[in-house]
Structure formats: structure tokens, C-alpha cells
Amino acid sequence: MAVVGYYDMTQGQGGAYQADEVTGSGHTAVSATDLTPITLSSIDTLYVTNPDNAGFGAGYTSALADIDAAVQGGMNLMIFDRAVTDAQTILPGGSAITVVRDFANDHTVDVAAGAPSWFTDGPNGTIDDSTFDGGTSSSHGYVTLASLPPGAIPLLTNGNPDQVVAFVYPHGDGMVFYTTIPLDYYSSAENTSITPAEVTTLFGNVQYGFELLS
């Protein structure tokens, strides 16, 4: 069981809606009221949502150096992002990633070729090509496959295998997960396309992957 600190970029602290998928997948949820080294050292995973379509929260961007150091030291980082444009600037070790905000295929999310079984058939449920399809926007863009960091594992695409919607990669002793799925919209909400149970499956399987890969 991991201690997961959750943080909403627009609120500058944990959003109450974020706790459900953490506790629902069997982990301990702790609202991160700040991103200081003391706070980061007390958690196993930092779970971040960005509900802003236009950019990234100042509280998060001002803590980038401390977050990078925490990941290198073994903390895992999970980001669900709406803004997407310039996301490479908020990803530890990810400055060379090519990120595109795009809605041409925003209703389609497929499992990437070769995605590991801990992701598709993990302890919190099954993820397949239909799990995250049909959302108002199932994704807000993609990163190009060729630009992923060394050791990165593509997990989801928008139907084009070169356009990655979710991936995970190592940075120091920790792992980073990034996706353009706007999880804040679907978390704790009753949507017919992407349900809270599916959100919990996504969160829980990724956390399980962290535990296997770290």
C-alpha cells in the first residue's frame, strides 16, 4: 500500500475529488497542501491533475526543481493534464519530448502495442481499446512516440501508434507517468463514457506498475 499525495494545479493543493481513486485502489490518500521537499519526502507517489486548459499552476511550476529531485530520489509522479502544450517543461527529464495539443482523435483511446500486462490486466481491473473511448474529450492531445525518453513504455494512444496519450518512464530512482486524459473531469462523476470505476482502474494499475518498476 502506497502513500499517495494528491494535488490539483488550479487549487494549489489536493482536490477532494482526487481521493476516491486513491482509496478505491487500496492506497492511502493524503492531500498535498504544498510541494515542499518535506511534503514530497513523506509520500510514495505524487498524483497531480491539471484542470486548466491554458497552462500550469504557479504552485506546481515553482516546485519543479524539488519535484525533479524527489523523483530522482525514488518518489513516483503521476500527471493527468488538460493543457498539454509545453508539457515537456513540467516533466522531470522530459525536455526533449514533443507534445501536441490536439482534438482530432479526442474520442478514441487505444491500448498501445506492447503495453505491459500490469497495465492492461492489473490488480484493479482490465483496460482495453474501448475503456476510455467516447468521452467529451477522452484526451487533449498526444506526445510523439519517437520523442519519448529512454526506457519509456507507451501505454495508450489515440488510435495512431505514433501518437501516445499515456506513457511511463524512469527518472533516477523514480518513475513518471503522464497522460493527456483530463481525469479531473471524470473523477467522481457519473459519466456513461468514462466512469469512476474505470478511473480507479487506470490509477490503480499505474500505481501497481510503479511498484513493479521502481
Side-chain angles (χ1 to χ4, degrees):
M1 182 174 67
V3 176
V4 179
Y6 57 94
Y7 183 87
D8 177 307
M9 284 194 198
T10 61
Q11 296 185 32
Q13 60 182 6
Y17 66 89
Q18 294 176 279
D20 288 352
E21 46 266 25
V22 179
T23 58
S25 55
H27 302 289
T28 301
V30 178
S31 176
T33 56
D34 58 54
L35 297 175
T36 63
I38 291 175
T39 296
L40 298 175
S41 67
S42 69
I43 59 178
D44 300 307
T45 296
L46 177 62
Y47 159 38
V48 179
T49 57
N50 179 28
D52 189 344
N53 286 291
F56 309 109
Y60 186 88
T61 56
S62 66
L64 286 173
D66 291 332
I67 293 168
D68 188 298
V71 174
Q72 292 200 58
M75 184 191 78
N76 299 309
L77 175 63
M78 186 183 299
I79 301 177
F80 294 82
D81 180 27
R82 280 189 185 227
V84 180
T85 301
D86 295 327
Q88 74 277 3
T89 65
I90 65 163
L91 293 172
S95 61
I97 298 173
T98 300
V99 190
V100 181
R101 181 174 166 86
D102 178 76
F103 294 88
N105 295 321
D106 67 331
H107 297 315
T108 299
V109 175
D110 289 347
V111 174
S117 60
W118 56 254
F119 180 71
T120 57
D121 297 292
N124 285 273
T126 299
I127 294 172
D128 59 29
D129 286 350
S130 65
T131 304
F132 304 113
D133 285 353
T136 303
S137 285
S138 293
S139 73
H140 280 207
Y142 61 88
V143 303
T144 60
L145 178 65
S147 72
L148 291 180
I153 303 171
L155 301 174
L156 297 169
T157 73
N158 64 3
N160 180 332
D162 295 321
Q163 298 179 352
V164 179
V165 167
F167 62 98
V168 63
Y169 65 96
H171 184 62
D173 291 331
M175 301 295 299
V176 178
F177 168 85
Y178 174 82
T179 182
T180 64
I181 296 174
L183 194 76
D184 65 284
Y185 182 78
Y186 298 106
S187 176
S188 306
E190 291 300 329
N191 291 281
T192 57
S193 52
I194 299 176
T195 67
E198 290 168 337
V199 168
T200 298
T201 295
L202 175 58
F203 179 92
N205 286 7
V206 171
Q207 179 59 47
Y208 179 61
F210 282 162
E211 294 163 7
L212 292 178
L213 297 170
S214 296

